[in-house]
Amino acid sequence: MQDLKTKDIVYLPGVGPARSKLLKEQLNIHTWHDLLYYFPYKHIDRTRLYRINELTSDMPFVQVKGRFLSFEEMGAGRKKRLVGHFTDGQSLMDLVWFNATKYITKTIKLNRDYIIFGRPGVFNGRLQVSHPDVDPAESLALGKMGMQPYYSVTEKMKKAGLSSRSLEHFTQTLFQQMQEPIGETLPEYLVRQMYLMPLGQALKSAHYPETANELSHAMLRLKFEELFYVQLSILRYARERHSLRRGIIFPRVGENFHTFYNHYLPFPLTDAQKRVIREMRMDMGSGKQMNRLLQGDVGSGKTLVALLLLLIAVDNGYQGCLMAPTEILAEQHLETFRSMLKDMPVRVELLTGMVKGKRRTAVLEGLRNGEVNILVGTHAVIEDAVGFQRLGLVIIDEQHRFGVAQRARLWKKNTVAPHVLVMTATPIPRTLAMTLYGDLDVSVIDQLPPGRKPVKTLHWYDNASEGLYRDIHKQVQQGRQVYFVYPLIKESEKMDLKNVEEGYAHLQKVFPDYKIGMVHGRMKPVQKEEEMRKFVSGQTQILVATTVIEVGVNVPNASVMVIQNAERFGLSQLHQLRGRVGRGADQSYCILVTNYQLGKTSTKRVQIMTETNDGFEIAEADLKLRGPGDLEGTKQSGIAFDLKLANLARDGQIVQLARDTATRVLDEDPSLAHPENALLKKTLEELRADEMNWSSIS
Ligand code: ADP
Ligand code: MG
């Protein structure tokens, strides 16, 4: 195998300098090994020969054996074409070429058997195949041909005559040229136990399977291997952390916690809130560093959980820190904390990009000398300039982009790494969570506070706004507040801004008697905050906004969320936005306003939104609709897993299998010291070296 990795593709017979240059720059194929792992994106079954009279124009690719009777030039100008009259001995069909016609007439002979392959069609009432593949019958051993591989190639390659067919020839040559069998990359015992196809065979079958079954068996082996090493790597990180990294011990729940719990808790905790707090108290008392993910749908009350945990840190003589993704949210958390703790001797401060000058100096000073107990902030808090006296707990709110590498930066903020909790409302499907947050323990708040009525979701077309405005009018008259959200997509920020501003002007005309506020990303933070404050305090009834309000903003009196151009939002985003309402006791509504002409995916999204409020269901659907590649955070997770074959959306079972297997292997041999696991150890070391390179680049 090593050998193939160092053999330049230019030396593969039939490639040569020009084509090797294209392969390298267009497909990133530099070595023989790269080519071996450049798999076809599909196969077409060539095990069957058809008779011409069986063909219909709705068939996919077919092959027919027969002879050419004659060739004929037809048409003129752009319609000029070469027609070959072809027969299987019983019926006739036309084979048509629009270019390279000279080459065809020169190479194809009459009175000789050929196998033609292509997609049948009908033109002027005659059955025809355009641009078929033509091979002399004796050169193709039928029945042994199996499935024909199709490789993707770029336009530039096609122009240079480098087609899928060429790649097929290259891979064939590659297999012929390989002197030694391909070495196994998984331990023999795993291959045996799991009935996996041996690597050498799997690679060959992935390119040249004889049946569809053989192909899927081969792919299973290759995907499993890919996912298995990802899981093995993640689990080893997790275990190393558990066994090596000493954690701060919070032995007690002290005075602040009890005082708050007994006197200032605004409402009884839900059972789910109590349970997750218990889970985390166990972690923080264990002597190991906590690294936990707290999942809880929008509105499930994660902020209160965070506050209680921070108080435990304070009670044990440590400082705590809560990080939010936006300034607005950080400020809101600060306000919530300060008002809940107003009669208690706990000092909470804010640190964001906006906190400058003397105020900043004072906060930094207070952090260093330990007078500040709880810091709330944005990314600004991980800057190196921010030092704590004794940081014991960091809570990261709604930051899907906060992967292992970033978390590792926090560990350094104290001589003993502080406990880390990541909170998210964006439910992550299990298989993705295992990969993205695979090194974290997970707690789930699976219960909403009592008295919440599920938000009703309705769909309106944008040409029927009158009725919508009437409904909104009614809501505002009952004292409720309303959000109007407009999409914001970075590439066309100007246009989006126009959308919001026009929307604002329009709504002022529609609702002349109401006070309307506006927030968007282009506003100065001070202005933004002012507008938010007016809405929170009820001075404005309608808030026109971009997605800046997507995450975390909490205004229980707001009962209507109108999402304009809902077709331009992703599912999780819609769900997040919907979570901004339904926070009080009143019936709330989420209204998706879309264009009349909706694409297939948008229709599906709207349908899912109107049918369910279940965040997990939505996340699964989202993953299916978008594919995991788009999912925020996959790239930034800090673990280099550039999956080539496996698809996290579709291969959930293989992910699970890979995880279970990796767990079993590590349970039996934690340090991979057994000789039979030597291969695993070596491969992991190589993988980690890649990760190091990767993380220094990003
Ligand atoms: P999220 O989990 O989305 O961050 P929040 O923490 O913002 O949710 O909580 C949503 C709302 O629910 C807030 O108004 C909060 O005060 C309220 N809340 C939290 N816990 C409870 C509870 N146990 N009972 C009633 N209301 C609660
Ligand atoms: Mg929140």
Side-chain angles (χ1 to χ4, degrees), residues 537-549:
S537 65
Q539 291 174 59
T540 45
Q541 285 90 42
I542 295 176
L543 185 66
V544 176
T546 57
T547 44
V548 291
I549 59 148

Side-chain angles (χ1 to χ4, degrees), residues 60 68 176 225 310 542 614 689:
F68 286 88
Q176 282 157 12
E225 170 171 349
L310 289 165
I542 295 176
D614 182 333

Side-chain angles (χ1 to χ4, degrees), residues 163-181:
S163 61
S164 166
R165 258 309 174 72
S166 327
L167 274 143
E168 196 183 330
H169 291 306
F170 297 159
T171 51
Q172 263 163 5
T173 311
L174 178 69
F175 280 109
Q176 282 157 12
Q177 294 274 320
M178 264 189 291
Q179 313 276 328
E180 303 154 31

Side-chain angles (χ1 to χ4, degrees), residues 266-270 273 296-305 333 336 340 397-398 423 425 445 449-450 452 552-554 556 579-580 583:
F267 19 61
L269 295 182
T270 62
Q273 283 171 318
D297 213 341
V298 277
S300 60
K302 294 185 292 296
T303 317
L304 194 56
V305 170
H333 282 326
T336 308
M340 286 195 190
D397 190 21
E398 303 290 1
M423 305 198 296
I445 306 186
R452 297 268 173 83
V553 174
N554 187 29
R580 299 307 107 214
R583 300 185 150 238

Side-chain angles (χ1 to χ4, degrees), residues 223 431 623-624 628 645-655:
K223 287 177 179 178
T431 54
L623 189 60
K624 286 214 182 85
L645 295 170
N647 174 324
L648 292 176
R650 268 185 269 121
D651 298 322
Q653 280 161 315
I654 312 180
V655 177

Side-chain angles (χ1 to χ4, degrees), residues 3-25 27-38 162 166-167 170-171 173-174:
D3 202 12
L4 294 181
K5 279 189 184 164
T6 52
K7 267 194 178 159
D8 197 306
I9 196 69
V10 72
Y11 301 120
L12 187 76
V15 175
R19 295 165 140 205
S20 107
K21 189 162 169 267
L22 276 173
L23 288 172
K24 288 175 188 178
E25 93 186 17
L27 299 182
N28 220 0
I29 296 176
H30 296 266
T31 64
W32 291 30
H33 180 268
D34 293 340
L35 179 64
L36 189 58
Y37 278 84
Y38 190 73
L162 205 56
S166 327
L167 274 143
F170 297 159
T171 51
T173 311
L174 178 69

